[in-house]
Amino acid sequence: MQAKKRFGQNFLTDKKLLEDLANLINVVAKDKLLEIGPGKGDLTKNLINVCDSYFGIEIDKDLLVFLRNKFPKNKNAFIDGDILKLNPSEIYASCQFRVVGNIPYNISSPILDWCEKYYEKILDMHFMLQKEFALRCAGNEKTSSYGRLSVICKYLYKVTITKEVSKEYFSPIPKVDSLFVRFSPKKKEVNQIELQNLKKVTGALFNKKRKKISNSLQDILKKESINNLDLNLNLRPDELSLNEYLQISKLVMNDG
Ligand code: SAM
């Protein structure tokens, strides 16, 4: 079966690598899983019989036929659809679940947005990501990968890079290397007001990434609030920690 570029299809077949990934996910008997894009089912076969419940959502109808033939006892576990349109209550109505996948890189950001939308229902996520995107998710202040995505990810998750995977492992071989990443939610539920203000602040500051923060703060805060900040205003956006961003967000919230 020819890989379809439009669906971001780069398959993994190496038995040892797939076992390593399954070990990193550490699926146990009580787990309820959702796999995004099971493809030809090679990662799936290391997961599906270990956990209590498995669903895989696949957009490619040819692969769905293939998956249902490959796993006849589990053929109802494969959902015909687009992850971005899935309401997880349709599969796991009243329980939390884990999300895994060697995901299509062209929709990595929308998939993280989808996970944020259903944050309270998700126990953790394990994703194969394009290396540069993964480094941005896991980035720390004062490093070149640190940006808005790093701050938001740090607010929501403990992000751990668990494995480096060279492009040669994929078929067809992509242009980029990959990292396997674990996202462990830090909170039971998200304070939406705090999160939206954090997005507003990181958006405004990283929009002028090379400028001192004093420059962008005046776009989002009253002068009096800027004077109240316990922060060096000569810093650049990539020098501020999550806590410093939260300090600014709080004042933005108060300024209303
Ligand atoms: N899991 C397989 C593997 O590791 O070999 C396939 C990984 S491939 C990188 C991504 C998979 O996601 C493909 O099977 C593709 O058809 C599927 N896919 C792409 N867009 C999707 C979407 N919006 N919703 C669900 N599946 C999608």
Side-chain angles (χ1 to χ4, degrees), residues 12-194:
L12 290 172
T13 51
D14 187 271
K15 197 168 173 278
K16 169 77 171 59
L17 172 70
L18 289 159
E19 281 169 11
D20 286 353
L21 298 181
N23 286 337
L24 288 167
I25 298 168
N26 189 23
V27 180
V28 293
K30 68 174 174 40
D31 283 344
K32 303 191 185 311
L33 281 197
L34 169 63
E35 185 181 9
I36 301 174
K40 295 180 185 168
D42 288 310
L43 178 60
T44 315
K45 68 171 178 276
N46 291 284
L47 311 172
I48 199 162
N49 293 320
V50 185
C51 57
D52 173 54
S53 170
Y54 169 97
F55 285 99
I57 180 159
E58 177 53 66
I59 203 166
D60 183 336
K61 292 191 190 308
D62 296 330
L63 287 177
L64 272 168
V65 173
F66 182 92
L67 286 162
R68 288 172 180 156
N69 285 332
K70 184 166 178 164
F71 302 100
K73 283 193 201 138
N74 306 82
K75 62 178 194 283
N76 295 329
F78 297 102
I79 307 162
D80 174 358
D82 179 346
I83 179 61
L84 303 178
K85 295 188 183 140
L86 178 73
N87 179 344
S89 302
E90 289 166 21
I91 50 171
Y92 294 122
S94 54
C95 61
Q96 289 182 297
F97 57 94
R98 307 180 69 196
V99 187
V100 304
N102 170 21
I103 63 174
Y105 293 171
N106 54 336
I107 55 166
S108 301
S109 274
I111 287 176
L112 282 190
D113 290 344
W114 183 90
C115 294
E116 184 192 307
K117 183 170 173 191
Y118 297 110
Y119 186 86
E120 284 85 12
K121 287 194 68 88
I122 295 176
L123 279 170
D124 62 12
M125 298 109 73
H126 285 79
F127 291 141
M128 188 70 77
L129 297 171
Q130 179 174 339
K131 185 173 182 178
E132 292 71 18
F133 184 83
L135 291 175
R136 280 168 52 214
C137 291
N140 287 319
E141 59 265 34
K142 299 175 190 151
T143 66
S144 58
S145 307
Y146 191 64
R148 184 169 187 248
L149 181 64
S150 327
V151 180
I152 302 301
C153 281
K154 213 178 268 300
Y155 175 74
L156 295 170
Y157 308 104
K158 179 173 188 288
V159 183
T160 316
I161 293 172
T162 57
K163 194 171 182 60
E164 190 152 5
V165 183
S166 137
K167 49 167 106 53
E168 280 75 31
Y169 278 101
F170 296 81
S171 170
I173 299 177
K175 290 203 179 82
V176 295
D177 284 318
S178 299
L179 296 174
F180 198 54
V181 183
R182 178 188 306 128
F183 296 81
S184 309
K186 281 184 175 172
K187 304 161 189 296
K188 273 218 148 71
E189 55 191 85
V190 180
N191 177 338
Q192 279 303 332
I193 296 175
E194 192 173 58

